[in-house]
Structures are given as structure tokens and as C-alpha cells.
């Protein structure tokens, strides 16, 4: 699953300093879509107290795929996943994953801030409400009785009126302040100009001389008035103080009346609020025990359709939905495998194949008797024909390949034995069984394994292996602990070919204890191969064109947990033929051009 988180497109601050509003946040989050497609990257936008998501950032112009109003949203960080958080509104739940815990914290804080701003009562929300009272109506009322007509309105509307009154008073104060500032500036300029002109008069004004020699100053009484015209600041108009006073009186009267009405409303609502509180407390007391038990059950059984789903016989997912989810997961794995094969250049592995005599011995390890018993059972029963009362059903036939199944259930768990026959040209039974058994090349052809390791090497032809298989959601992940042995069974009749066999069967081991993460499956699998040789023409040497390997593959698997029977059978019908084709094709590729090993 791809896991990405938000790359915020907004600022690092939670609130815009200019508007006082929480900033817009946008980025990529992984959103749980459904049990078929799982986690998908989506472009998520947090704006105007609403959380919306788009398929991608480039598709925002086509409209959002869904949105949630945050006023009643419940944000729940996941208990175990540090990157995940859930948002629920009534029955709608969004499962989201961030890139890391830091991004999750950023998103949760931003969502909580938007949620807090979405309810009535914050400063920004009050400013967004319209008011029924305009400046004209407030200025023309002249008395407190002008607001009596609004007595029938609700408390939010009255609060909006208070906002309008406040705006009126603020505008009045601003108007008066500008007027007085203009007057002060005008007086200062006038005094400065007068002082300057007086100084110039003393220095520059001409004087006249009388015949008697006395100096006469030019002292025209009207000159100063001409030099100092009355101050009239540019752009400053007179103010109607009487009108402003009337407006101020009406506004303050409206404020007092509205406050009085708000108090009356709150007093009337106090009783109903108290009754609601008592009823809610009583209700919570009644359901407290039920809530605790339900919470513990919810931890065991995940929300239907959510990413925490776990398999079980009481699942709400029906068999068709379960099958669709499994099939979609297998298709994704096939595409990934095809891509890996196209990108990967296989490096030849130098894995020497021991001679056949090495695998003829039983061994002396502590599981030797158990191995011998399993081998004899497969040689006795697995090679039998399909006739008789075994009730084998042919489910797949593709050329030389035939797949049979017997339907067996125990306690609701499907235990269908499976048997497949196939014929492959150009390879021997020794070569097929060697590559099936050799753990060094296991990952070259096996695509269902997540990881594996050899727990213990019992002998040259027997090992104990622990492996975990890739999870196919919604089924739980499986692991297997088994003994794998390779044997060569010599033919008792000279006309019959030797038989090569690899058997894998579950065992117990101290180093393979059960884990809570996986469901332990039990297996009993055998790959039985016989090589048929057609004589070449003339004296030619035997080539790979002259050999044919008959394969009998049997599998008895106990999945160890519940899954719908139809799903298990459909998956087996699909996957086993693919497995045989993939494995035999791999062996043909590995042995092409190499000496034949019988």
C-alpha cells in the first residue's frame, strides 16, 4: 500500500493575521476507499470549515468527490497507527493516513481549529452574519423603543444586531477623529505661516521718510488680514454634530435594548438548558455500562468496510464481496509480478544438482520415520487414478494439465484436497523436484511468499522451513512451518521409470512459534515426477526433445481460519494452474541448453 501524506499549500500559521480566519490547507493524504481498492492517494482540501477531497490536485476543477462539514465532526487519532486519523460525522466515516506523525498532527490541529470556527459564537462567525438593522434604521429611531419590533427574534439575530451597532459607533468615532485631526493640523499650519510672515515684514517691508527726517513704517491695518486668510483645510467638510448626536443616541439605546432582550432570552432558556442537561446526564448514566462493553467489542470487531477488518465467520461482508476483494488483490499482485519480471534480468545461479543416489537414503534425523510414512502414503494414494469412489471433480482442463478437487469441510473450514496432473517436455523429474525443493531459488519462481527462512537443516535431503505468505485482503495473513524432503524412489519393475518426490508437511518446532500477526496454516503437499524417454532415431544421443516428465501434484491445505468456502475454491481453481505453469516454465528456462540430469 502506498502511504503518502499532506504537503501543505498554506502558510505555517494556523490563523490568517489579516482576516482572523483559519488558513486553507491542502495536500495529499491516503484515504481508505473500500475493501476492494484499499488505500488510495487523494488531494484533500481544508477550507471554510469544510473538508473536501479530489481524486488528484489536477482534477480540482471538475469538482470534489466528497466533503464533510466540520461543525459536528469527531476527529479520532488511531490508537496504534501513528500516521492515521479518522473523521466521523453521523454515519459517515473517513479513514485518512498522513505521511508521518508530524503531518498527522498538523492536519488534526488545523481541522480542530476550523471546527472551532464553524460554530456560532466566534468573532469571525459573528461578522459573517447579516443584520436586520441598517444604519438608516438605527439613526431614525431616536429612542430605545425603535428596537422593540425585534423582540421576536432569536439570540443569534440579536447578537448580529449588536455587531451592527458596534460598526455604527466605530464609524462615528472614526469620522469625528478624522475631523478633529484635520482641525489640529490646520491650526498648526496657520500659526507657522503667521510667524513666518511677521519675520519677513520686519526684514523686507519698505519704509518712507518724511521731510523732517523721521522714518515711517508701512503699517496697513488690513494687510495682515489679507496675508492671513481664514483657515479652511482642503477636503475637510463640516460635520452635522446634531445628526451625529441623534445617531449616537439611537445606537446606544439600541444596544441597551438588545442587551436587555438577550438577557431575557438567556433567562428563559436557562430552565430548558438545565432540563436538557439533566436529561443528558441521566441518559449518559444509563448507557455508560453499555458503552464500555460496546467499546471493547469494537476493538475486537472492526468497523464494517474499514481498513481494520479481520476475517471471521460472523463477518458482515458477504461471500460475493469477499471474493471481489480477494480477486482484486490477486490481480494487483499479478501486475506487480509481471512488472518485476519485465524489469528483472535473471542472474544464472550456480546451484549444482547432486546425483540421484544422494536422495535415495531415508536419513537418520528425528523426523525420519515421519518422513518415510508421508512418502509411502503419497506413493500409495496420490498416484492412483481418478476412478473409484474418491469423488474427484475435474475443475480445470488446459491441454495436458488437469486439476481435480474433492469438496471437504470441517467445522465450516474448507479442507478440499486438490490433485493436478501435467506433462512437461524437455525436463526430467529429477530437475523439476530439485528446483521445487531447493530453497536457494525459491524466490525466483514463487510469487506468493513474503519471506522465508530455513529453521533447521536435518540432512542433505530434509530441511525445516518457516515462511509467511503475502496477505490477500480481506483474508488474514498466513504463515506455515513445514518439513521439506526430497526423495528418489527406485522402480521395482525394470519397465517402470524411477520416481522423484518432494513432500512438504507441517511440523512443530521450537523456533517457529505462533505469532499474533499471522494465522498458522497446515499443509501436506507432494510434487511427484516420473521421466519418460522416447528412443531417438538411429544412433543419435538422447536430447531434451526425447524426454517427457509426468507430474502429479497433490495438496491438502488447512487454512487455519475462516474464509468463505466459495472464495477458497474459486481462488484454488485460479491459482493452482497458474502456479504449475509458472514453475514448469521456470524449470524449462533454467535447464535449456544444459546436460540432461536423470
Amino acid at each position: 500500500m502506498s502511504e503518502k501524506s499532506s504537503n501543505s499549500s498554506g502558510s505555517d500559521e494556523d490563523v490568517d493575521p489579516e482576516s482572523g480566519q483559519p488558513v486553507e490547507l491542502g495536500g495529499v493524504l491516503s484515504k481508505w476507499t473500500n475493501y476492494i481498492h484499499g488505500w488510495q492517494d487523494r488531494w484533500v482540501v481544508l477550507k471554510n470549515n469544510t473538508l473536501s477531497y479530489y481524486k488528484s490536485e489536477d482534477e480540482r476543477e471538475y469538482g470534489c468527490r466528497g466533503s464533510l462539514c466540520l461543525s459536528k465532526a469527531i476527529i479520532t487519532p488511531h490508537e496504534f497507527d501513528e500516521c492515521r486519523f479518522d473523521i466521523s460525522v453521523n454515519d459517515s466515516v473517513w479513514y485518512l493516513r498522513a505521511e508521518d506523525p508530524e503531518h498527522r498532527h498538523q492536519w488534526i490541529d488545523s481541522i480542530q481549529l476550523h471546527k472551532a470556527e464553524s460554530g456560532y459564537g466566534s468573532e469571525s462567525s459573528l461578522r459573517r452574519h447579516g443584520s436586520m438593522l441598517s444604519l438608516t434604521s438605527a439613526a431614525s429611531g431616536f429612542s430605545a423603543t425603535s428596537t422593540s419590533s425585534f423582540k421576536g427574534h432569536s439570540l443569534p439575530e440579536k447578537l448580529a444586531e449588536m455587531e451592527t451597532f458596534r460598526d455604527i459607533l466605530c464609524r462615528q468615532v472614526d469620522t469625528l477623529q478624522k475631523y478633529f485631526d484635520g482641525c489640529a493640523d490646520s491650526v498648526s499650519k496657520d500659526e507657522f505661516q503667521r510667524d513666518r510672515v511677521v519675520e519677513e515684514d520686519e526684514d523686507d517691508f519698505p519704509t518712507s521718510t518724511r521731510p523732517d527726517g523721521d522714518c515711517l513704517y508701512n503699517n496697513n491695518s488690513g494687510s495682515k488680514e489679507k496675508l492671513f486668510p481664514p483657515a479652511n483645510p482642503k477636503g475637510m467638510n463640516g460635520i452635522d454634530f446634531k445628526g451625529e448626536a441623534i445617531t449616537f443616541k439611537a445606537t446606544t439605546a439600541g444596544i441597551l435594548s438588545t442587551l436587555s432582550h438577550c438577557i431575557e432570552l438567556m433567562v428563559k432558556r436557562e430552565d430548558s438548558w438545565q432540563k436538557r442537561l439533566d436529561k443528558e446526564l441521566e441518559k449518559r448514566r444509563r448507557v455508560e455500562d453499555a458503552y464500555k462493553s460496546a467499546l471493547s467489542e469494537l476493538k475486537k470487531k472492526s468497523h464494517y468496510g474499514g481498513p481494520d477488518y479481520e476475517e471471521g465467520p460472523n463477518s458482515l461482508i458477504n461471500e460475493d464481496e469477499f471474493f471481489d476483494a480477494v480477486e482484486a488483490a490477486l490481480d494487483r499482485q499479478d501486475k506487480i509480478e509481471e512488472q518485476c519480471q519485465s524489469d528483472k534480468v535473471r542472474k544464472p545461479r550456480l546451484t549444482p544438482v547432486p546425483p540421484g543416489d544422494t536422495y535415495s537414503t531415508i536419513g537418520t534425523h528425528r523426523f525420519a520415520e515421519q518422513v518415510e510414512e508421508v512418502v509411502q502414503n503419497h506413493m500409495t494414494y496420490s498416484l492412483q487414478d481418478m476412478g473409484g469412489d474418491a469423488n474427484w471433480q475435474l475443475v480445470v482442463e488446459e491441454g495436458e494439465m488437469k486439476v481435480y478437487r474433492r469438496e471437504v469441510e470441517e467445522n465450516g473450514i474448507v479442507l478440499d484436497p486438490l490433485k493436478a496432473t501435467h506433462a512437461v517436455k524437455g525436463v526430467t523429474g529429477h530437475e523439476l523436484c530439485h528446483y521445487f525443493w531447493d530453497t536457494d531459488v525459491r524466490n525466483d519462481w514463487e510469487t506468493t511468499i513474503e519471506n522465508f527462512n530455513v529453521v533447521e537443516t536435518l540432512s542433505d535431503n530434509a530441511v525445516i522451513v518457516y515462511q509467511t505468505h503475502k496477505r490477500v485482503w480481506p483474508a488474514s495473513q498466513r504463515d506455515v512451518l513445514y518439513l521439506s524432503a526430497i526423495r528418489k524412489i527406485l522402480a521395482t519393475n525394470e519397465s517402470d521409470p524411477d520416481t522423484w518426490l518432494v513432500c512438504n508437511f507441517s511440523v512443530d518446532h521450537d523456533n517457529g512459534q505462533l505469532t499474533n500477526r499471522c494465522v498458522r496454516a497446515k499443509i501436506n503437499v507432494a510434487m511427484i515426477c516420473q521421466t519418460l524417454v522416447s528412443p531417438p532415431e538411429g544412433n543419435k544421443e538422447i536430447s531434451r526433445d526425447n524426454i517427457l516428465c509426468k507430474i502429479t501434484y497433490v495438496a491438502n491445505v488447512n487454512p487455519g481460519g475462516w474464509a468463505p468456502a466459495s472464495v477458497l475454491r474459486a481462488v484454488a481453481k485460479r491459482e493452482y494452474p497458474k502456479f504449475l505453469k509458472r514453475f514448469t516454465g521456470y524449470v524449462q528456462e533454467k535447464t535449456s541448453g544444459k546436460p540432461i540430469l536423470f
Side-chain angles (χ1 to χ4, degrees), residues 14 22-23 25 29 44-47 49-52 68-76 85-89 94 96 103-118:
D14 292 333
V23 297
L25 184 64
L29 291 176
V44 182
V45 175
L46 179 60
K47 182 179 180 181
N49 313 316
T50 301
L51 191 68
S52 307
L68 287 178
C69 179
L70 299 177
S71 59
K72 296 183 179 180
I74 299 176
I75 300 94
T76 307
F85 61 99
D86 304 340
I87 302 176
S88 60
V89 178
W94 286 11
L96 302 171
H103 279 101
R104 182 184 79 163
H105 182 70
Q106 178 187 4
W107 273 97
I108 291 177
D109 287 349
S110 299
I111 292 172
Q112 293 285 14
L113 183 60
H114 278 257
K115 177 185 175 183
E117 287 295 324
S118 65

Side-chain angles (χ1 to χ4, degrees), residues 475-489:
S476 298
Q477 188 175 19
R478 259 63 179 182
D479 64 355
V480 185
L481 180 68
Y482 62 94
L483 187 152
S484 181
I486 181 172
R487 290 285 307 279
K488 179 182 180 182
I489 310 297

